[in-house]
Amino acid sequence: MFRRRRLYPWGGLVLVASCALAGCSSSGAAPGGAVPPLRTAGADASAAAGSSGSEAPVTESSLSDPTTSYTVTSIPKDLDAEQSQVVKAYVDYDRATWEAYRDMKGTAKVESVTTGDQYQAFKKVYDERAAAGQHVEGEAATAITSAQVSSDNMSSTVVACADETKIRLVSQDGVQVPSDDLGHKITLAVGLIRNEQGWVVNNSSVEGVDQC
C-alpha cells in the first residue's frame, strides 16, 4: 500500500499520510470490496457514445473547464448512456475537488458529490491546507481509461490517469511550498454508488505512480 494520501482525488499526494485514511484500498483490489459483474466501456460497439434522449454526447471538451485550467484529455470510446453518466459524475467530483483545493472557498460542492467517508477524508486534507494557508496552482489534466458499471446498475468503477506534473503547492503569499509528492502521474481507481441524487463517489485507491 502507498503510505501517502492524495491532496485532491487524482494527484498531489500528501507525505506520510495513510492511503487507508482517504478511503483507499490496497493496489490491485477493487474499491469497496467485492463488485458485481461489470460491463466495460467499449464492450458494446453499437452503443451511442453518451447519447440518452436529447442529452448531448459526452466529450473531452464538454467535460473540461479552461476557466479553472482543468482538462480531460481522453475518455473511453463507445460509452453507453449509463457509463456516460458515471464518467460525468466522476468528473463532477474531480473538478469539484480541484476547484476546492485551488480556490479554498469552501467544500459544499465536494460534499454534494461524495459519500460521508470519502468527503471526510477530503475535508481533513482541506482543513489542514486551510490552516496552513496553502492552496494548489497550475494545470490539472486527467485521462479516463475505463468506466465500468455493475450488472444491477448500483455501483461502478472509473480508472483514470491524473497528470499532476503541472501542479504546485503554494503558500498564502504565493511562494511555492516544497513537496516531493507533487509532479507525478497517478493511476486511480474510483468507486461510485448510486443514491437518490444519482452517482456519487464512494471510495478511491491509488493503483500506481508514474505508470500511466
Side-chain angles (χ1 to χ4, degrees), residues 15-187:
L15 191 62
V16 305
S18 170
C19 183
L21 187 62
C24 298
S25 66
S26 59
S27 180
V35 176
L38 301 170
R39 67 176 189 274
T40 305
D44 182 2
S46 66
S51 297
S52 177
S54 60
E55 290 186 9
V58 173
T59 67
E60 292 86 349
S61 178
S62 69
L63 296 169
S64 300
D65 183 8
T67 65
T68 60
S69 300
Y70 178 89
T71 304
V72 176
T73 59
S74 65
I75 60 175
K77 296 180 179 179
D78 301 319
L79 293 171
D80 66 22
E82 199 63 59
Q83 290 164 338
S84 295
Q85 291 302 312
V86 167
V87 167
K88 288 168 65 177
Y90 166 71
V91 171
D92 284 346
Y93 161 75
D94 204 31
R95 284 175 55 172
T97 52
W98 163 247
E99 292 167 13
Y101 284 118
R102 179 178 180 268
D103 301 333
M104 300 302 290
K105 293 181 179 179
T107 64
K109 190 172 182 180
V110 177
E111 187 174 15
S112 71
V113 292
T114 56
T115 60
D117 289 346
Q118 186 73 10
Y119 172 72
Q120 289 303 321
F122 152 81
K123 184 65 161 51
K124 184 178 188 299
V125 179
Y126 181 94
D127 289 345
E128 291 170 355
R129 294 309 173 197
Q134 297 172 344
H135 65 279
V136 295
E137 291 183 353
E139 300 176 16
T142 187
I144 299 170
T145 57
S146 68
Q148 300 176 321
V149 181
S150 64
S151 57
D152 62 3
N153 284 344
M154 295 302 293
S155 63
S156 59
T157 303
V158 169
V159 177
C161 176
D163 184 350
E164 59 164 24
T165 56
K166 296 181 180 179
I167 305 297
R168 59 190 178 276
L169 184 65
V170 299
S171 68
Q172 197 169 17
D173 298 329
V175 178
Q176 184 168 348
V177 178
S179 174
D180 293 337
D181 292 319
L182 288 169
H184 300 284
K185 291 184 176 182
I186 311 299
T187 304

